[in-house]
Amino acid sequence: MSIAESDDSQEPLEKKVHLPKTSESEALKRIRHTASHIMAMAVQKLFPKAQVTIGPWIENGFYYDFDSPEPFTEKDLKAIQKEMAKIIKRKLPVIREEVSREEAQQRIEKIGESYKLEILEGLQEPITLYHLGDQWWDLCAGPHVENTSEIDPNAIELESVAGAYWRGDETKAQLQRIYGTAWETPEQLAEYKRRKEEALRRDHRRLGKELGLFIFSDLVGPGLPLWTPKGTLLRSTLEDFLKQEQIKRGYLGVTTPHIGRVDLFKTSGHWQKYKEDMFPMMAEDTEAQEKEQGFVLKPMNCPFHIQIYKSELRSYRELPMRLAEFGTVYRYEQSGELGGLTRVRGFTVDDSHLFVTPEQLEDEFIKVVDLILSVFRSLQLKNFKARLSFRDPNSDKYIGSDDVWDKSEAAIRRAVETLGMNYFEGIGEAAFYGPKLDFIFQDALDREWQLGTVQVDYNLPERFDLEYVAEDGSRQRPVMIHRAPFGSLERLVGILIEEYAGDFPLWLAPVQFRLLPVSQDFLPFAQEIALKLRSVGVRAEADASNERLGKLIRNAEKDKIPVMAVVGAKEVESNCLNIRTRAQGELGAIPVEDVMTRMQQAISNYSNF
């Protein structure tokens, strides 16, 4: 028997139209900023009681926040967009005007816009207004186009309405935020809409539920995923894969608690620099609370690994020491910033901290990068770039001396140049204790995600007074390398679900092989073969649902099973399996022993059947 062809295979997305971000295009910046003003003018014409607040450009469009007595509906968005087209066709000049603070205040009071008065208080001179002809104006620094006719009304779309608090403060007025997008051409808008639809099809929150990988529970709390048996298999497969790679490279596994004393994080600097992102302290009583004596859920694993290193006086012969842990950490992300698996409050970091001599630093850094690149190859992640994340010298969020930072940044730059890697610098993207090399992955929809990271750290060894005995008997300070190839398991799984559209490579799939008996008469044989496959490490199952063959096949396709086999009289008689894979389609009858061997080889080589 054969398995019908399916149209559910994943074809690579064609990227015909380049969609730059606003920050990458001065033309788009002007278009989108002006479009936000045109939208606000249209809103106030149709809804005279609506007050405007702020309306900036964002990377894929723009928004404006309104205080309106009536909620905006989808029907209202269509009417607003239609009014915007009328405004654009009037070819209104966009005029910049500088005014004194007093003049601006008088004009705002005259039109009764209370939010503008509050905005004005925070502005530095010169105060600039932008006018759309003589019809409408707002406080703004620009930039804008010179005339509304420069904007194509067919390249604009209002997308949604959402709630937003004034100044992001939950104690202040609730506003209505209208999101829109604007492009240079209708073709760009069409491509943007296509990608949005594709993003919905690939959305890991939807696919994760359909594939039975994870859930969220209101009783447990937002940002705290619960992993099902299939999802746990997926996580475990990723963990086991990285653990095996680490063992080959001399890493030592450790396990640390989920909580620790506040004093630990005061020493590391997390309490001073990261307190707002940590869960509140647990104290025994009011006095302990006032003295900041208590425990906190850990936001980082590094202070714990440092304690393991420091538990004994180390010799240079023990270095480099590579401590590794899949450690779950907790960060108090704001509820509005949570999003599926990619932004959560409890997540597992594939963390490792390497303690090295200064002479070993560059070589160990290169070895870590080699590990990360091998991980990406196995995950079939090819479209990424390297970012040197350095400190912003004008910021006070960092710890340590200028000399230490200069030394750390130079070490990272030397390493990537030795490797011949293409990179760009991200000023202000460093961790508070040291610079880092981040790997920025671009997915099938051209969205960017940070995955692997490597950080050079001279500061924490200093703060914790770490030492080792050098060859000459002197006490020396080690250097730390912080490293996480995945970044976090939760974010990685979310990204992989969307990158693969739920169609995982064979080695990662929670269920790798499904047998489909044409009737219950052949179920025992199918179950026997599934047991044999499981005995050699293949995640196999037999479908016992007693559905018609067509339904069994459709269910296997819907569940995105990489390899499936129909079992009927011919297969039982010949001890063969009629194989079809999602990667290659119909393969025909193959002896059971050959199927087992090929499955084992494909899984161990991270390849297809």
Side-chain angles (χ1 to χ4, degrees), residues 441-586:
F441 169 67
Q442 193 170 48
D443 69 12
L445 295 170
D446 283 348
R447 298 170 301 186
E448 291 187 344
W449 304 94
Q450 180 184 320
L451 289 178
T453 185
V454 196
Q455 303 168 12
V456 174
D457 181 7
Y458 285 85
N459 279 310
L460 291 187
E462 184 75 28
R463 294 177 73 91
F464 281 97
D465 193 26
L466 302 186
E467 293 181 331
Y468 67 91
V469 179
E471 191 171 4
D472 63 3
S474 64
R475 301 287 182 92
Q476 301 294 329
R477 187 85 70 208
V479 184
M480 281 181 67
I481 299 175
H482 304 244
R483 177 241 70 178
F486 292 162
S488 87
L489 272 173
E490 284 72 13
R491 173 175 286 188
L492 177 68
V493 170
I495 291 169
L496 292 180
I497 290 172
E498 298 193 359
E499 178 67 6
Y500 304 141
D503 195 1
F504 292 103
L506 176 63
W507 73 276
L508 265 182
V511 178
Q512 297 166 322
F513 196 103
R514 182 177 290 175
L515 293 111
L516 312 176
V518 298
S519 75
Q520 291 294 290
D521 294 338
F522 306 107
L523 179 58
F525 179 79
Q527 291 174 328
E528 179 187 341
I529 301 303
L531 184 60
K532 284 184 177 180
L533 285 164
R534 289 197 294 272
S535 71
V536 295
V538 179
R539 295 189 288 274
E541 63 184 23
D543 192 327
S545 61
N546 199 25
E547 299 281 359
R548 292 179 179 273
L549 180 59
K551 181 67 177 296
L552 297 182
I553 294 169
R554 286 193 296 275
N555 288 343
E557 291 286 356
K558 181 182 176 183
D559 294 342
K560 303 186 188 298
I561 307 299
V563 184
M564 61 191 83
V566 166
V567 175
K570 289 183 180 180
E571 287 73 31
V572 173
E573 184 178 346
S574 61
N575 199 38
C576 289
L577 297 175
N578 205 302
I579 300 293
R580 183 182 188 278
T581 71
R582 289 179 61 78
Q584 301 180 56
E586 199 80 45

Side-chain angles (χ1 to χ4, degrees), residues 251-262:
Y251 284 79
L252 305 172
V254 296
T255 303
T256 62
H258 292 248
I259 65 173
R261 289 187 183 276
V262 170

